[in-house]
Amino acid sequence: MSSGVLARSVLPALASVTGLVFYSWMRFLWPNRKQSIGAWQRLSHRSDLPADSVDGRWVTSHGVWIVRRTDQGRDRLFVLRAACTHLGCTTQWDPSLRQFICPCHGSAFSLDGERLRGPATRAMDRYAVRLTSDGFIEVRLESTVRRPQSEIEYS
Ligand code: FES
């Protein structure tokens, strides 16, 4: 094989592989962020949530359930992480049982996200949530929080 043939056939392939490896490393070191860390994300308006309801419109895009609980004229709003706390499968809302059920291994959680049945060993995670002055529900997905930061009351 002459050096001219080598230069035309092997070197471009080698450059491509090297470029691909370099690109992969750069993506590894600086991955894209799906959403900016720490940002409040506007999901819905409170008027979109009927009393005592579970909103599943954000499960696919944001991995969350929005829950509005209405007890004795008092409304509580919170956002549950849809991932099961066992191994992370996406929970499903069963309206007849009023429970979140995990299809993978059968864990069950109450409407408040409390653990009812394993193998999950703890409650569903919650995210910080707030209500804007014009009634929009915003959630911060950077980390999970505990009550009371995870819940808003309003009337
Ligand atoms: Fe939910 Fe196992 S991942 S029960």
Side-chain angles (χ1 to χ4, degrees):
M1 185 181 289
S2 73
S3 62
V5 172
L6 183 70
R8 280 193 303 272
S9 60
V10 175
L11 290 180
L14 190 61
S16 297
V17 170
T18 304
L20 191 61
V21 169
F22 179 74
Y23 176 76
S24 300
W25 268 103
M26 297 307 281
R27 298 282 296 172
F28 175 75
L29 293 174
W30 290 282
N32 280 349
R33 297 281 178 176
K34 196 169 185 179
Q35 59 253 345
S36 57
I37 296 296
W40 288 94
Q41 296 187 46
R42 184 167 289 195
L43 298 184
S44 187
H45 194 273
R46 76 179 202 182
S47 62
D48 295 337
L49 297 177
D52 233 13
S53 65
V54 174
D55 185 348
R57 289 178 296 161
W58 309 97
V59 172
T60 303
S61 60
H62 291 71
V64 297
W65 298 99
I66 302 177
V67 181
R68 176 182 169 192
R69 290 217 60 177
T70 308
D71 297 318
Q72 300 166 353
R74 201 185 81 171
D75 277 310
R76 291 187 294 128
L77 187 75
F78 49 90
V79 176
L80 297 172
R81 185 171 179 234
C84 175
T85 54
H86 178 224
L87 294 177
C89 290
T90 301
T91 54
Q92 296 172 353
W93 171 241
D94 184 326
S96 60
L97 294 174
R98 295 179 59 77
Q99 294 177 2
F100 294 97
I101 305 291
C102 180
C104 290
H105 312 103
S107 290
F109 305 89
S110 71
L111 183 57
D112 283 327
E114 297 301 323
R115 177 192 171 276
L116 298 174
R117 182 177 68 232
T121 57
R122 61 184 178 85
M124 295 170 79
D125 293 320
R126 290 174 172 226
Y127 289 112
V129 62
R130 71 181 182 187
L131 205 54
T132 64
S133 57
D134 50 355
F136 283 96
I137 299 160
E138 293 185 341
V139 64
R140 193 165 56 197
L141 300 172
E142 72 176 8
S143 60
T144 55
V145 294
R146 296 179 188 274
R147 294 180 194 178
Q149 297 95 330
S150 64
E151 214 165 274
I152 336 172
E153 280 191 39
Y154 62 98
S155 51

